């Protein structure tokens, strides 16, 4: 799509009145609540799903590469924020042995097919938390901040036909952003100031005019559809408490591209102060207003009721009101509300969705985990997350009494320090502990219990959880692996830029050997 066609689509989005959109979403919340009360969002059992994001690289140099739109269509993947991104969403499956196997098989089948298409074009898809090598001959700073401007004629959305007219306005388009109008709208709506559009992490300061810096990061997102929608708050509050420990296991983003670091920062400074999961900070500082309080991207508070979950989404700040047409799908009854999910950026978020009444569901999307080194590692997080929600909820595990503030502190400690973080947990016997082995012994025991209760054999449970258990035993996460490799290169006299390139190339080489049939445990 050319800039002029994109500008035309953007014109339609910007003509939507934000206040009217929000009012309609609030009205439609009643439809959701009525559907919950009538059982429309219930399932006969728990169901799981998965979102998986990638970035593309040049197969020879490992430098970031833009994916032609025709190629993305051939891959069968969806576009994401940056031109280098690709996303896969699996079909929901029951939480049992066959369902988890189906999830992994679908990921493998679709990813193999996509890689075949990419390889024919001299490209590869990488599963990683954050890219560090910009496109060949370009700087990351330029790639993330380059823009063009276009003039639009935007209609007056006041609703007064006698006063209606058009106004000229200049819009800013990110050069390397996908051609979805909703992405570009974030920098051009009346609420654009609600997004910081900056990077602010140790030794990195970058200001942009668009949300494009967010395209540095990629993630995996396990989904869990609750069997009985009114019970969603119980599952949700447990998900909030396991967010810190699971993030600590999954950290994979200790470095940014070399040219983004401040001029005066030495390699030793960067190594000393690196956070293990910069992806968390990047998402928050790009999309939150730094001058305000809690932004749209944040660690969520506990829920008291499912109605509260619906209300939070409906009344959330409307950043990008989207045009809504008529339709006869089940979820067209709440089309405005449904579109608010897309900018309801909580690290754990409830979603109420379904194209038909039979497909309607209330689910919890778990968003803290970065993309992992292999498919097996990624599915391990899906299995652990689902198993934990099954077991903790059904056994009424005492960690539900862990203070929310401590759960939040755990989350950001995990962001900074990974498995080295001082996490507080309440074990099954009611004891409070900060001992890493005790925390994860309790977590894995309940993940096992939850998966076993869904019919998985001991061998199947052990296979799913092995990659994560190995990380705890060795004290080694993907982020720590990267950090140690870069530290060794710097100690040998390599520059930061050179060390990051060595690390990134080795990451890609290791992944090439293990993506489909191995795990991160094979790297060490």
């Amino acid at each position: 799509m050319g800039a002029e066609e994109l500008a035309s689509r953007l014109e339609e989005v910007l003509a939507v009145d934000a206040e009217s959109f929000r009012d309609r979403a609030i009205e439609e919340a009643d439809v959701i609540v009525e559907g919950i009360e009538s059982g429309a969002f219930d399932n006969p059992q728990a169901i799981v799903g998965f979102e998986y994001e990638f970035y593309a690289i040049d197969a020879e140099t490992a430098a970031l590469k833009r994916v032609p739109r025709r190629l993305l269509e051939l891959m069968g993947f969806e576009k994401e924020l940056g031109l280098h991104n690709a996303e896969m969403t699996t079909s929901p499956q029951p939480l049992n042995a066959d369902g988890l196997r189906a999830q992994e098989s679908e990921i493998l089948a679709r990813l193999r097919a996509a890689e075949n298409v990419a390889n024919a074009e001299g490209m590869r898809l990488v599963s990683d938390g954050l890219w560090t090598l910009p496109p060949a001959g370009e700087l990351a700073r330029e790639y993330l901040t380059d823009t063009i401007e276009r003039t639009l004629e935007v209609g007056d959305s006041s609703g007064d036909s006698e006063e209606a007219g058009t106004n000229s306005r200049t819009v800013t388009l990110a050069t390397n952003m996908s051609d979805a109008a909703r992405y570009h709208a974030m920098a051009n709506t009346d609420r654009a100031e609600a997004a910081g559009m900056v990077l602010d992490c140790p030794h990195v300061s970058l200001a942009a005019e668009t949300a494009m810096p967010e395209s540095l990061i990629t993630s995996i997102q396990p989904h869990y559809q609750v069997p009985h929608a009114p019970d969603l708050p119980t599952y949700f509050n447990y998900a909030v408490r396991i967010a810190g420990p699971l993030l600590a296991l999954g950290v994979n983003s200790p470095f940014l591209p070399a040219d983004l670091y401040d001029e005066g920062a030495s390699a030793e400074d960067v190594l000393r102060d690196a956070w293990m999961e910069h992806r968390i900070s990047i998402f928050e500082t790009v999309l939150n207003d730094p001058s305000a309080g809690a932004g749209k991207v944040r660690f969520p508070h506990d829920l008291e009721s499912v109605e509260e979950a619906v209300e939070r989404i409906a009344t959330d700040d409307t950043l990008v009101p989207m045009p809504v047409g008529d339709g006869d799908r089940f979820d067209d009854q709440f089309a405005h509300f449904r579109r608010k999910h897309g900018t309801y950026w909580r690290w754990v978020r409830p979603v109420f969705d379904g194209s038909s009444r039979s497909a309607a569901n209330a689910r919890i999307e778990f968003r803290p985990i970065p993309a992992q080194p292999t498919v097996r590692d990624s599915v391990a997080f899906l299995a652990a997350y689902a198993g934990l929600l099954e077991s903790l909820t059904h056994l009424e595990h005492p960690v539900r009494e862990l203070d929310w503030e401590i759960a939040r502190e755990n989350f950001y400690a995990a962001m900074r320090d990974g498995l080295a973080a001082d996490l507080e947990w309440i074990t099954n016997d009611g004891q409070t502990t900060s001992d890493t082995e005790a925390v994860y012994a309790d977590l894995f025991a309940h993940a096992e219990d939850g998966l076993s209760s869904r019919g998985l054999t001991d061998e199947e449970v052990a296979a799913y959880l092995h990659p994560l258990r190995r990380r705890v035993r060795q004290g080694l996460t993907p982020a720590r692996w990267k950090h140690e490799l870069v530290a060794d290169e710097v100690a040998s006299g390599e520059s930061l830029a050179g060390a990051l390139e060595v690390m990134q190339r080795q990451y890609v080489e290791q992944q090439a050997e293990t993506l489909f049939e191995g795990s991160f445990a094979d790297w060490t």
Side-chain angles (χ1 to χ4, degrees):
M1 182 192 303
E4 300 305 327
E5 184 180 352
L6 174 59
S8 177
R9 290 192 182 182
L10 184 57
E11 187 174 339
E12 296 178 15
V13 174
L14 297 179
V16 178
D17 180 66
E19 186 174 348
S20 298
F21 183 94
R22 182 178 183 273
D23 289 345
R24 287 293 303 276
I26 293 173
E27 292 172 7
E28 291 168 359
D30 292 337
V31 176
I32 303 285
V33 172
E34 290 171 4
I36 291 170
E37 292 173 347
S38 68
F41 291 90
D42 291 348
N43 286 304
Q45 60 185 322
I47 293 176
V48 292
F50 202 70
E51 292 181 43
Y52 202 153
E53 297 172 352
F54 303 84
Y55 61 76
I57 61 168
D58 183 281
E60 293 295 325
T61 67
L64 197 71
K65 195 163 184 177
R66 299 166 179 85
V67 183
R69 300 301 88 177
R70 61 168 182 81
L71 203 62
L72 199 60
E73 293 173 4
L74 287 173
M75 290 178 181
F77 280 29
E78 304 157 30
K79 58 184 143 186
E80 245 293 332
L81 184 64
L83 291 177
H84 55 277
N85 290 129
E87 181 182 61
M88 172 202 310
T89 303
T90 64
S91 305
Q93 299 288 343
L95 176 55
N96 55 35
D98 292 326
L100 283 173
R101 200 155 41 238
Q103 287 287 313
E104 185 169 9
S105 295
E106 181 178 352
I107 293 170
L108 289 170
R110 293 179 62 187
L111 184 53
R112 285 186 195 274
E115 282 283 57
N116 289 338
V117 173
N119 291 342
E121 299 287 333
M123 303 171 60
R124 286 197 55 207
L125 293 179
V126 177
S127 177
D128 192 5
L130 195 158
W131 56 266
T132 57
L133 299 183
E138 302 180 52
L139 295 174
R141 184 175 298 271
E142 294 171 352
Y143 183 80
L144 296 171
T145 59
D146 279 352
T147 60
I148 59 174
E149 292 186 345
R150 289 292 183 270
T151 301
L152 303 183
E153 299 294 329
V154 182
D156 184 348
S157 58
S158 66
D160 188 334
S161 60
E162 293 184 4
E163 298 293 332
T166 59
N167 299 303
S168 295
R169 64 178 295 181
T170 300
V171 295
T172 301
L173 307 178
T175 307
N176 296 302
M177 187 179 282
S178 294
D179 58 9
R182 67 187 181 94
Y183 294 142
H184 293 272
M186 286 190 280
N188 294 289
T189 68
D190 294 337
R191 296 287 298 124
E193 73 279 359
M197 299 181 190
V198 298
L199 296 180
D200 184 12
C201 46
H203 308 295
V204 175
S205 302
L206 176 75
E209 296 180 83
T210 73
M212 185 63 190
E214 186 209 330
S215 73
L216 279 164
I217 58 178
T218 41
S219 68
I220 57 171
Q221 296 179 25
H223 296 177
Y224 180 96
Q225 296 182 18
V226 303
H228 187 49
D231 294 335
L232 181 141
T234 303
Y235 290 91
F236 182 89
N237 294 346
Y238 276 116
V240 165
R241 279 152 183 78
I242 63 176
L246 288 186
L247 174 60
L249 274 176
V251 289
N252 193 19
S253 311
F255 300 110
L256 283 75
D259 72 271
L260 293 183
Y261 287 103
D262 298 334
E263 187 174 346
S266 68
E268 290 74 17
D269 293 334
V270 171
L271 284 163
R272 182 190 63 245
D273 300 328
W275 293 338
M276 293 296 100
E277 192 51 41
H278 283 299
R279 175 180 156 268
I280 300 295
S281 171
I282 289 171
F283 198 28
E284 292 190 354
T285 60
V286 171
L287 294 174
N288 289 343
D289 180 0
S291 65
K296 286 173 67 67
V297 185
R298 63 179 184 263
F299 190 77
H301 280 278
D302 288 338
L303 287 170
E304 295 295 330
S305 68
V306 69
E307 291 83 7
E308 182 183 15
V310 174
E311 181 184 10
R312 285 186 188 178
I313 298 167
T315 59
D316 190 51
D317 183 27
T318 303
L319 184 58
V320 184
M322 295 293 292
V324 175
D326 295 326
D328 55 6
R329 292 172 28 141
F330 175 77
D331 53 10
D332 286 324
Q333 300 175 72
F334 48 92
H336 296 79
F337 179 95
R338 177 163 55 96
R339 280 164 175 78
K340 292 204 69 173
H341 285 129
T343 58
Y344 187 69
W345 295 311
R346 305 303 190 267
W347 290 115
V348 181
R349 74 178 179 191
V351 173
F352 301 89
D353 204 1
S355 58
S356 64
R357 186 178 177 88
S358 61
N361 65 89
R363 65 178 183 268
I364 302 169
E365 296 184 353
F366 194 70
R367 300 162 56 81
I369 310 299
Q372 294 295 299
T374 74
V375 170
R376 191 167 296 168
D377 290 286
S378 301
V379 175
F381 276 101
L382 171 61
Y385 170 65
L388 282 167
L389 289 194
E390 282 286 309
S391 180
L392 298 179
T393 303
H394 292 156
L395 296 179
E396 298 184 352
H397 191 286
V399 78
R400 65 183 175 179
E401 303 301 327
L402 185 72
D403 188 79
W404 177 85
E405 289 287 351
I406 294 176
R408 182 182 183 277
E409 290 171 5
N410 283 346
F411 182 76
Y412 289 103
M415 176 198 79
R416 292 187 298 271
D417 300 323
L419 277 177
D422 185 20
L423 306 180
E424 185 171 320
W425 183 257
I426 300 175
T427 59
N428 189 54
D429 59 2
Q431 299 298 308
T432 299
T433 182
S434 292
D435 178 74
T436 299
E437 289 188 10
V439 170
Y440 286 102
D442 195 66
L443 274 165
F444 287 132
H446 288 87
E448 286 180 352
D449 175 71
L451 293 173
S452 297
S453 73
R454 301 305 305 161
L456 276 74
T457 65
D458 291 346
E459 293 75 15
E460 288 170 332
V461 171
Y464 279 120
L465 298 180
H466 170 72
L468 305 185
R469 284 186 176 277
R470 178 73 174 270
R471 295 184 187 189
V472 175
R473 284 200 299 270
Q474 294 192 330
L476 189 66
T477 60
R480 182 57 60 187
W481 179 91
K482 291 178 176 179
H483 193 274
E484 290 180 357
L485 202 160
V486 171
D488 287 345
E489 290 296 316
V490 169
S492 298
E494 187 62 81
S495 67
L496 177 63
L500 289 177
E501 182 171 353
V502 170
M503 177 275 292
Q504 195 65 51
R505 286 176 179 273
Q506 288 200 26
Y507 184 96
V508 169
E509 289 170 6
Q510 292 273 27
Q511 187 170 101
E513 297 176 3
T514 56
L515 178 62
F516 296 110
E517 296 180 357
S519 75
F520 175 67
D522 301 322
W523 295 22
T524 59

